[in-house]
């Protein structure tokens, strides 16, 4: 493994107070020619942990289209480095890079650190960071797609639907302004309508009765207490404008945590708005595709969709 030579000090990182992000460190290149940037700080806020992202760039000449991966975890948990346990990290990363796409995996503030829309603000900040430093990272800032699972699927959908007409949802974290539009969205079993979920019984959570209610934690109160914010946080609310990016929704039909009907609702709303949407049921699968015998084909379909709409190989 070879290390690129140190870059010249960037005076933008030496000012006081420091900027709310850091310029990328030099890449590390592995024996396969994959270039890696680990733990780049894309946004900071006093009192919160820095928000970090990792970059993986395929071997060869770029710039490469970008897939931004958004992890799940009920907005309460999760880590940019780890997909759900049903999806090996080697499968996810290898499939994206093998298709000629760069992969950017991001962390974001959890809901008990800061309620919604902090999570969406962080996703938007990551997109702005990628665009600002695209040339330095070997990325094509004009060709960005988002892909998330569970809570990350919800945030990916919102990232594709919410634009500059909703400045309160764009935020000013990190690189404070700039284009946050994306060309494609893959949403794995994400929430689309918090109001409709209010009466859905929650399955037993891993922390037992002490595990916080994920929806109340996200909103800073129950749906009944904060119905306006619940509507704002629901992708179906925003699936009504022209010029929407194409969506791929993949969802287990036996999902006990986020019912399959959530993706059906979003698909219907996107269709009524004239958007391009593909809804793919995974028969008999629970949340995180538990019970599916063929995770690889789900990953392949998702990467193929992104590669087609981002122009991989062009």
């Amino acid at each position: 493994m070879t290390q690129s030579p140190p870059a010249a000090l960037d005076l933008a990182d030496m000012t006081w107070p420091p900027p709310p992000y850091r310029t990328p460190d030099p890449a590390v290149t592995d024996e396969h020619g994959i270039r890696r940037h680990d733990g780049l700080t894309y946004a900071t806020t006093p009192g919160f942990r820095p928000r970090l992202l990792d970059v993986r760039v395929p071997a060869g000449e770029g710039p490469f289209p970008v897939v931004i991966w958004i992890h799940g975890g009920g907005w309460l948990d999760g880590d940019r480095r780890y997909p759900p346990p049903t999806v090996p990290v080697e499968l996810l990363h290898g499939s994206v890079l093998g298709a000629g796409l760069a992969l950017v995996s991001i962390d974001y503030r959890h809901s008990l650190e800061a309620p919604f829309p902090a999570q969406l603000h962080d996703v938007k900040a990551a997109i702005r960071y990628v665009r600002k430093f695209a040339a330095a990272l070997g990325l094509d800032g004009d060709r960005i797609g988002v892909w998330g699972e569970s809570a990350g699927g919800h945030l990916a959908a919102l990232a594709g639907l919410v634009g500059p007409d909703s400045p309160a949802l764009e935020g000013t974290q990190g690189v404070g302004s700039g284009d946050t539009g994306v060309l494609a969205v893959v949403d794995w079993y994400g929430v689309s309508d918090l109001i409709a979920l209010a009466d859905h019984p929650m399955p037993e959570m891993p922390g037992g009765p002490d595990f916080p209610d994920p929806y109340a934690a996200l909103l800073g109160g129950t749906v009944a207490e904060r119905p306006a914010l619940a509507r704002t946080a629901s992708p179906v609310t925003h699936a009504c404008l022209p010029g929407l990016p194409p969506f791929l929704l993949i969802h287990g039909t036996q999902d006990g945590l986020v019912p399959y009907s959530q993706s059906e609702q979003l698909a219907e709303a996107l269709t009524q708005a004239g958007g391009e949407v593909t809804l793919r049921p995974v028969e008999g699968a629970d949340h995180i595709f538990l019970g599916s015998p063929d995770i690889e084909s789900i990953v392949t379909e998702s990467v193929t969709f992104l590669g087609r709409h981002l122009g991989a190989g062009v």
Side-chain angles (χ1 to χ4, degrees):
M1 185 177 295
T2 59
Q3 172 77 51
S4 301
L9 291 175
D10 191 325
L11 293 179
D13 287 339
M14 300 171 63
T15 59
W16 189 262
Y21 56 86
R22 290 191 62 85
T23 56
D25 295 324
V28 172
T29 304
D30 69 15
E31 64 274 19
H32 304 294
I34 304 298
R35 298 189 298 283
R36 300 174 44 164
H37 299 263
D38 291 324
L40 299 181
T41 300
Y42 74 84
T44 62
T45 306
F48 295 92
R49 61 194 168 102
R51 265 80 79 210
L52 307 179
L53 58 78
D54 297 338
V55 182
R56 301 288 182 270
V57 183
E61 294 296 324
F64 294 94
V66 185
V67 174
I68 295 180
W69 168 261
I70 311 171
H71 70 76
W75 310 281
L76 287 159
D77 200 358
D79 186 313
R80 71 186 187 280
R81 296 169 295 176
Y82 308 115
T86 47
V87 182
V89 66
E90 297 83 2
L91 173 62
L92 180 71
H93 289 197
S95 298
V96 172
L97 295 170
L101 299 164
L103 179 67
V104 175
S105 305
I106 71 170
D107 282 333
Y108 52 87
R109 283 171 289 178
H110 292 153
S111 57
L112 292 183
E113 295 178 275
F116 186 85
Q119 298 70 31
L120 180 58
H121 287 172
D122 290 348
V123 173
K124 294 285 191 173
I127 296 170
R128 289 192 292 266
Y129 184 91
V130 167
R131 284 211 161 95
K132 180 176 179 65
F133 293 108
L137 296 168
L139 309 178
D140 186 339
D142 292 328
R143 294 189 286 168
I144 298 176
V146 287
W147 178 5
E149 61 97 14
S150 195
H154 162 262
L155 294 173
L158 285 174
L161 294 169
V162 171
D165 290 341
S166 301
L169 297 180
E170 287 281 300
T172 58
Q173 298 292 313
V175 178
S177 62
D179 180 18
T180 62
V182 299
L183 298 183
V185 177
V186 175
D187 173 357
W188 280 2
Y189 44 85
V191 169
S192 66
D193 186 347
L194 284 155
I195 300 293
L197 273 179
D199 296 326
H200 178 70
M202 289 286 292
E204 184 176 345
M205 302 303 288
D210 294 330
F211 192 87
D213 179 283
Y215 308 116
L218 178 69
L219 300 174
T222 65
V223 171
E225 293 167 338
R226 303 206 164 191
L229 185 59
R231 282 189 289 272
T232 298
S234 298
V236 292
T237 300
H238 308 280
C240 57
L241 299 175
L244 301 177
F247 272 69
L248 173 62
L249 311 176
I250 307 185
H251 207 134
T253 60
Q254 298 302 313
D255 194 323
L257 182 60
V258 179
Y260 177 71
S261 58
Q262 286 281 298
S263 285
E264 289 182 311
Q265 283 181 260
L266 182 54
E268 181 179 359
L270 290 167
T271 299
Q272 289 180 350
E276 177 186 339
V277 57
T278 300
L279 174 58
R280 157 103 137 80
V282 183
E283 295 297 336
D286 201 340
H287 206 62
I288 69 170
F289 301 134
L290 280 170
S292 171
D294 193 4
I295 298 296
E296 185 171 351
S297 71
I298 298 172
V299 172
T300 298
E301 181 177 357
S302 302
V303 171
T304 300
F305 174 88
L306 289 163
R308 182 170 69 253
H309 289 288
L310 298 181
V314 175

